[in-house]
């Protein structure tokens, strides 16, 4: 029974007993290839890993082999970084395929054409290599991680292009290779929303175009003729040795804001940047650290990530029944906020280019809220609607969301908070949704 006004009771499927894939939790920059270090990684809630960084070396390194052997033992799945080393595929692939943990290769941040400044491969160069690989090794995946929208103005040494053309190139040259395959066909990007600027009137704030970037990939997946698996990187450390605006250690609230927002956009996978802390250099200074510090010890970001990942693991069985039928995201502006005051107007929600309106949220008559939130709308295989409500406000403002949702013809709602289900009776179809800082809850109306 579809999630609309009903003359018949809606009885939900038993989602917990249904077969579904796991949500992918991954991280960039691997720890030392020891069983202890990788077990700690797995205990944080991750099920995939990118084998990249000085701890494991590059494709062909003995330490990559060590890491794959440990992943085999622990049941982790692994991508091996092949950025700017496409020639290594033929050299290493047969050996890597002996490892059950080996999923495929990843290539980081190419643009469409070959960069005439540093000769880096473009998507048009990667495509033929991926096709050859797929023809010979049809079980091996290839994840291209794209640049964000705000990077297109950089001096790439190529003809100019817009983001629609960028996505189209990825689909034409890479995704089309896997169009008839059963393996995952990836669409991935990295962009980070957390800013800190002590010289600004608003010291802490969210990147204006972040939701827009999430929306680009989510819509490409929704509208594709082939099955796409979406991934997005989240900010899990301070970075930018020469850019103080990025020198902000993500809190538990920051981590969950990012992850629940990805769920609102129907994503299949989230990747942390970073897990282990990269060396001091051009991009990172001595005081900046990730989930694991440079001595191999867990940080407070590790504990925050572990806590949020556990919430996602509790929810995934239900969420993954819905996210492949994602319809869009509806922004709701809080009554406490006004465009007359730049301190409170949420410009990042305004940047979305194709948001849902309230009228497009089937099953909902109206939503009012005191603070800003976003609502991701998706449906299960039987047409029942699910809604991901996210408190989308700068976390340091400590805003609490109190929203009233008026459903159309439903008498109950299953509310998943921290991954735990509570069934709530709806009086007159109304549900009160309270969201703590950075929190997300998944709601399925029925009855």
């Amino acid at each position: 029974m579809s999630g609309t006004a009903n003359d018949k009771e809606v009885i939900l499927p038993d989602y917990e007993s249904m077969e579904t894939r796991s949500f992918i939790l991954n991280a960039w920059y691997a720890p030392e290839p020891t069983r202890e270090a990788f077990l700690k990684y797995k205990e944080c809630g991750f099920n995939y890993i990118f084998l990249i960084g000085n701890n494991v070396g590059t494709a062909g390194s003995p330490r990559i082999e060590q890491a794959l052997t440990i992943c085999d033992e622990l049941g982790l799945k692994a991508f091996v970084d092949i950025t700017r080393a496409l020639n290594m595929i033929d050299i290493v692939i047969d050996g890597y395929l002996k490892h059950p943990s080996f999923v495929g290769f990843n290539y980081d941040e190419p643009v469409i054409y070959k960069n005439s400044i540093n000769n880096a491969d473009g998507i048009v160069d990667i495509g033929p290599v991926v096709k050859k690989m797929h023809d010979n090794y049809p079980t091996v995946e290839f994840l291209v991680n794209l640049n964000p929208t705000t990077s297109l103005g950089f001096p790439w040494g190529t003809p100019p292009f817009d983001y629609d053309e960028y996505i189209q190139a990825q689909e034409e040259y890479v995704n089309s290779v896997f169009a008839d395959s059963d393996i995952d066909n990836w669409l991935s990007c990295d962009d980070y929303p957390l800013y800190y600027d002590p010289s600004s009137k608003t010291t802490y704030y969210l990147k204006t175009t972040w939701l827009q970037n999430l929306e680009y990939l989510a819509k490409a997946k929704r509208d594709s003729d082939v099955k796409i698996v979406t991934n997005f990187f989240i900010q899990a450390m301070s970075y930018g040795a020469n850019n103080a605006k990025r020198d902000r250690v993500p809190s538990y609230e920051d981590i969950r804001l990012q992850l629940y927002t990805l769920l609102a956009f129907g994503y299949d996978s989230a990747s942390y940047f970073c897990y282990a802390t990269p060396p001091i250099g051009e991009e990172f200074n001595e005081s900046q650290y990730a989930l694991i510090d440079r001595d191999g010890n867990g940080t407070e970001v590790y504990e925050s990530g572990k806590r949020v990942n556990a919430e996602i693991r509790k929810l995934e069985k239900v969420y993954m029944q819905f996210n492949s039928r994602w319809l869009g995201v509806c922004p709701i502006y809080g009554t406490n906020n006004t465009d007359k005051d730049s301190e409170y107007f949420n410009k990042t929600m305004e940047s979305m280019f194709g948001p849902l309106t309230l009228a497009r949220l089937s099953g909902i008559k109206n939503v009012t809220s005191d603070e800003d939130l976003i609502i991701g709308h998706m449906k299960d295989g039987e047409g029942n609607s699910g809604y991901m409500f996210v408190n989308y406000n700068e976390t340091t403002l400590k805003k609490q969301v109190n929203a009233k949702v008026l459903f159309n013809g439903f008498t109950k709602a299953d509310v998943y908070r921290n991954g735990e289900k509570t069934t709530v009776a709806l009086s007159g179809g109304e549900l009160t949704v309270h969201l703590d800082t950075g929190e997300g809850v998944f709601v399925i109306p029925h009855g």
Side-chain angles (χ1 to χ4, degrees):
M1 175 69 70
S2 177
T4 57
N6 311 303
D7 54 12
K8 181 180 179 182
E9 182 181 6
V10 173
I11 300 175
L12 297 177
D14 181 5
Y15 297 113
E16 294 295 334
S17 68
M18 298 172 70
E19 288 294 323
T20 187
R21 65 179 292 162
S22 297
F23 187 79
I24 293 175
L25 287 167
N26 204 342
W28 192 257
Y29 220 86
E32 290 283 347
T34 67
R35 188 182 188 282
E36 180 183 14
F38 273 64
L39 181 59
K40 186 176 182 68
Y41 178 89
K42 182 177 180 178
E43 289 173 345
C44 196
F46 297 107
N47 52 355
Y48 277 57
I49 190 168
F50 287 105
L51 296 182
I52 185 172
N54 66 317
N55 292 322
V56 293
T58 57
S61 162
R63 287 174 291 167
I64 293 282
E65 287 282 354
Q66 293 171 24
L68 287 170
T69 300
I70 296 167
C71 288
D72 293 344
E73 179 187 350
L74 296 178
L76 292 167
K77 297 295 184 182
F79 284 102
V80 175
D81 182 62
I82 206 76
T83 305
R84 302 195 189 185
L86 292 173
N87 63 303
M88 289 297 295
I89 291 177
D90 289 340
I91 297 172
V92 301
I93 193 167
D94 287 316
Y96 289 170
L97 277 168
K98 296 175 183 177
H99 294 277
S101 60
F102 175 66
V103 171
F105 299 102
N106 68 275
Y107 198 107
D108 194 38
E109 297 185 336
V111 289
I112 298 177
Y113 310 102
K114 185 179 289 290
N115 189 327
S116 63
I117 297 174
N118 61 17
N119 212 35
D121 302 304
I123 292 174
V124 297
D125 308 303
I126 294 169
V129 178
V130 173
K131 186 178 187 310
K132 175 188 171 186
M133 180 199 78
H134 183 61
D135 288 344
N136 294 322
Y137 302 94
T139 63
V140 178
E141 298 175 14
F142 200 95
L143 186 154
V144 173
N145 184 57
L146 302 176
N147 288 279
T149 56
T150 47
S151 293
L152 298 194
F154 291 176
W156 296 111
T158 75
F161 55 95
D162 62 30
Y163 212 74
D164 286 324
E165 292 170 327
Y166 193 29
I167 295 284
Q168 289 167 9
Q170 164 69 16
E171 292 176 335
E172 178 181 352
Y173 289 95
V174 180
N175 293 132
S176 64
V177 171
F178 303 98
D180 298 319
S181 176
D182 292 331
I183 64 175
D184 285 343
N185 193 350
W186 289 94
L187 185 60
S188 176
C189 183
D190 65 299
D191 193 24
Y192 307 111
L194 308 177
Y195 272 80
Y196 164 72
D197 186 358
S199 65
S200 172
K201 179 182 178 182
T202 307
T203 304
Y204 297 92
Y205 57 96
L206 300 173
K207 185 176 183 179
T208 301
T209 57
W210 194 63
L211 291 183
Q212 180 188 95
N213 222 137
L214 296 180
E215 185 183 24
Y216 262 111
L217 271 67
K219 288 195 168 188
K221 171 190 171 181
R222 183 193 66 188
D223 299 338
S224 177
D225 292 331
V226 301
K227 185 178 180 181
I228 296 292
V229 175
T230 46
N231 175 69
F232 214 91
F233 282 78
I234 69 165
Q235 184 176 343
M237 69 176 296
S238 55
Y239 68 95
N242 300 313
N243 182 0
K245 292 183 180 180
R246 292 303 198 170
D247 195 13
R248 172 174 170 177
V249 178
S251 64
Y252 163 70
E253 290 79 11
D254 292 329
I255 298 291
R256 72 173 177 176
L257 169 73
Q258 294 177 83
L259 277 175
Y260 281 118
T261 299
L262 262 60
L263 299 190
F265 281 87
Y267 275 77
D268 304 283
S269 171
S271 299
Y272 282 59
F273 177 84
C274 291
Y275 180 74
T277 303
I280 298 166
E282 194 172 306
E283 193 172 4
F284 306 96
N285 64 38
E286 185 175 4
S287 66
Q288 293 169 337
Y289 54 87
L291 278 73
I292 302 294
D293 66 22
R294 293 186 178 94
D295 294 322
N297 301 313
T299 67
E300 74 272 22
V301 190
Y302 176 92
E303 296 302 327
S304 295
K306 184 177 182 179
R307 183 178 169 189
V308 180
N309 288 350
E311 296 174 17
I312 302 301
R313 287 283 171 243
K314 290 179 183 178
L315 178 61
E316 66 181 346
K317 190 78 171 178
V318 176
Y319 167 78
M320 297 299 285
Q321 302 288 345
F322 285 81
N323 78 313
S324 63
R325 298 169 186 86
W326 176 81
L327 299 173
V329 167
C330 176
I332 303 294
Y333 292 95
T335 55
N336 290 345
N337 306 323
T338 168
D339 59 4
K340 296 178 181 179
D341 188 340
S342 61
E343 282 284 336
Y344 296 103
F345 186 59
N346 202 332
K347 296 181 178 66
T348 185
M349 298 200 327
E350 189 75 4
S351 75
M352 293 176 61
F353 59 87
L356 293 181
T357 61
L358 267 175
R360 296 283 303 280
L361 294 181
S362 61
I364 291 181
K365 285 184 178 180
N366 193 36
V367 180
T368 57
S369 178
D370 57 356
E371 303 291 353
D372 295 344
L373 75 149
I374 58 173
I375 306 172
H377 186 202
M378 55 202 83
K379 294 193 175 187
D380 70 6
E382 297 184 10
N384 300 299
S385 286
Y387 309 90
M388 179 61 70
F389 291 78
V390 182
N391 178 342
Y392 197 79
N393 293 278
E394 164 54 49
T395 61
T396 59
L397 298 175
K398 303 296 183 185
K399 290 188 177 183
Q400 309 284 301
V401 165
N402 295 286
K404 298 287 187 184
V405 184
L406 185 60
F407 287 105
N408 185 17
F410 296 104
T411 60
K412 303 173 189 174
D414 289 348
V415 179
Y416 292 84
R417 185 184 303 276
N418 299 326
E420 302 287 350
K421 182 178 84 170
T422 302
T423 300
V424 179
L426 305 180
S427 177
E430 186 174 274
L431 175 69
T432 298
V433 177
H434 174 80
L435 299 170
D436 288 331
T437 305
E439 187 177 24
V441 301
F442 193 57
V443 177
I444 310 171
H446 60 98

